[in-house]
Amino acid sequence: MAPSDKTYSVPLYTTSNGCPVSNPNAMIKMGKVGPALIQDHHLIDLLAHFDRERIPERVAHAKGSGAHGYLEVTEDVSDIVSADFLNGIGKKTALFTRFSTIGGEKGSADSARDPRGFAIKFYTQEGIIDWVNINSPVFFIRNGVQFPFLVHTQKARDPQTNLKDVNMYWDFLCNNPESVHNTMIIFSDRGTPFSYRHMHGFSTHTFKWVNKEGQFHYVQIHLLTDQGIKNLTNAEAHALQSDDPDHAGRDLHEAIERGDFPSWTLYVQTMTPEQAEEAPFSVFDVTKTWPHKDFPLRKFAKLVLDRNPENYHAEVEQSVFNPANTVPGIEPSADPVLQARLFSYGDTQRYRLGTNFTQIPVNRPLQAHCPFQRDGAVCVNGNYGSVSNYPSSFEPLKYRVDATNNEAHEKWASEAISFQWGATDLDFEQPRVLWEVYGKTRQQEALIHNVAQDIQGAKPEIQKRVMEYFSKVTPEISDRLSEALQK
Ligand code: HEM
């Protein structure tokens, strides 16, 4: 039997191969003034591991904080979803959550103006499902292929100067006017949440929930904070960037340490395939919200975070979330941004952590049996012993029915086409309503102030295009922006 891996609790200091070291501060040298000797295995072992301490940071969402918790089903949703972990009032499922900003590097400030990631990994009896949410109900792009361009312009640095570039940032948004809905959210005070505890989460995309009869609904998930929404002003967020760049991670950790466990109430919006046909916008358009009056929120669960990680690198840095990880009863929709995501996460995680990243404890399903995936670097799960490495006599498993209703709606028959989903007038209708809503809460002033602050250093032609961009929502925004810039 292998010795326990809990060697860290033994108060004896050893090299990584377990050899006791009497003085970790000493080196083996040719006399007091001579050179070091390569036979000093402790020195070589220590330095070689140190040299490899960093793993690649996430290409997006590099700065983050995590916590463990659970989901508890509070209402019966068996009529719309067959997923085991959502069936049975009172059923609890362990989970791990990672909050993040999108654009900043690993050491960047938590208070940056940016959407926040709110990724959740559920350890269900039917495997792992990840809900890789953000705190905004809409996203900047709706052509999945554009994500690298979005990240290059919003996060990456100029190829020559290595400086962030406000011109590139706004150039991209203006070239893709369907982004204006999310831009208006991120440049309101909602773009700088007071903490991770005080913001909502959204699936943002449409998914499909399939019930036990095989009927599906399109759904969107809302996680509404029980702590109440609280945001920072631009000035407060700027001050925190230098005073306490880790403020949101600190707030989360300290709240959990003092037993003030943050929680969210979960709701689902549902749409039948027939309603989707009638809706004035595409159900696959991630730049649109579903009006609550037509598609009311239906409560179904409570999410609680009640345990801090023991070790940041092991549990938070090495955690992976992938929208392709799902369980029977929950399926992706044809949203083209979601479809692109289904490839990207597993791919980057194989690069970031190596082929066997699902063997890392935080990523491990409660049970898994996939002996046809074996070997590879750092394989530590026993590698399925002598179990056959190809399928020979497995019975096909009809686990649960697949979606069957309204096949016409999701029956694809077409030739391959090159398609870019361009902007139309429809894209400015919801932002126009949002502008009116902002009028009731002083967020019109916040939006104007925050955008003006951001573009004041941009080139005049970019400033002009930003005015045009917002004037498609209403000329009132560009007029007020123009005034604010002249002050
Ligand atoms: C085509 C569009 C997108 C692509 C290609 C993409 C790709 C990625 C990649 C490569 C990562 C890093 C993953 C890792 O290293 O483990 C990431 C992180 C993340 N993405 Fe996306 N993304 C897209 C859109 C979105 C959207 C629309 C949302 C939310 C609705 C989202 C939410 C997140 C979150 C929350 C994380 C951080 C996960 C964590 O905490 O580890 N992404 N994304």
Side-chain angles (χ1 to χ4, degrees), residues 214-232:
Q215 292 161 334
F216 78 84
H217 283 82
Y218 290 117
V219 299
Q220 297 227 338
I221 309 297
H222 299 240
L223 303 94
L224 303 192
T225 171
D226 294 331
Q227 291 64 242
I229 289 277
K230 208 168 155 187
N231 296 316
L232 301 166

Side-chain angles (χ1 to χ4, degrees), residues 200-324:
H200 297 330
F202 301 91
S203 63
T204 314
H205 295 288
T206 298
F207 285 82
K208 284 162 67 183
W209 277 14
V210 187
N211 68 13
K212 49 189 179 309
E213 281 80 40
Q215 292 161 334
F216 78 84
H217 283 82
Y218 290 117
V219 299
Q220 297 227 338
I221 309 297
H222 299 240
L223 303 94
L224 303 192
T225 171
D226 294 331
Q227 291 64 242
I229 289 277
K230 208 168 155 187
N231 296 316
L232 301 166
T233 64
N234 206 36
E236 289 166 337
H238 272 269
L240 276 173
Q241 286 176 19
S242 53
D243 294 351
D244 188 4
D246 304 318
H247 88 277
R250 186 187 317 285
D251 173 88
L252 180 68
H253 181 87
E254 289 177 355
I256 293 175
E257 282 303 290
R258 65 174 182 266
D260 180 8
F261 302 139
S263 64
W264 285 260
T265 304
L266 272 60
Y267 297 82
V268 60
Q269 278 184 299
T270 62
M271 201 190 272
T272 62
E274 295 74 24
Q275 286 173 311
E277 295 285 351
E278 310 270 296
F281 51 85
S282 166
V283 68
F284 306 135
D285 182 351
V286 73
T287 69
K288 302 287 176 292
T289 55
W290 298 3
H292 292 198
K293 65 172 178 21
D294 302 328
F295 305 99
L297 297 183
R298 176 171 167 184
K299 186 157 85 164
F300 68 98
K302 178 78 86 187
L303 183 156
V304 180
L305 298 179
D306 61 356
R307 182 162 60 91
N308 277 316
E310 276 290 307
N311 183 280
Y312 183 85
H313 183 84
E315 293 158 71
V316 185
E317 196 59 13
Q318 294 196 119
S319 61
V320 303
F321 302 86
N322 180 350

Side-chain angles (χ1 to χ4, degrees), residues 56-62 64 97-102 116-119 131-134 136 138-141 143-148 150-151 202-205 286 316 319-321 323 336-341 344-345 348-349 352-353:
E57 65 176 40
R58 288 165 173 82
V59 66
H61 296 260
T97 292
R98 181 174 178 273
F99 298 102
S100 52
T101 52
I102 298 188
R116 300 293 186 268
F118 185 169
W131 286 356
V132 198
N133 308 308
I134 50 173
S136 175
V138 292
F139 200 56
F140 292 111
I141 53 168
N143 296 290
V145 66
Q146 291 180 306
F147 189 74
L150 172 75
V151 171
F202 301 91
S203 63
T204 314
H205 295 288
V286 73
V316 185
S319 61
V320 303
F321 302 86
V337 175
L338 177 58
Q339 291 286 318
R341 294 180 73 195
S344 196
Y345 290 71
T348 197
Q349 289 152 4
R352 188 161 71 79
L353 297 157

Side-chain angles (χ1 to χ4, degrees), residues 61-79:
H61 296 260
K63 175 73 188 293
S65 304
H68 298 270
Y70 63 89
L71 178 93
E72 181 170 358
V73 177
T74 54
E75 333 287 319
D76 181 24
V77 278
S78 58
D79 58 317

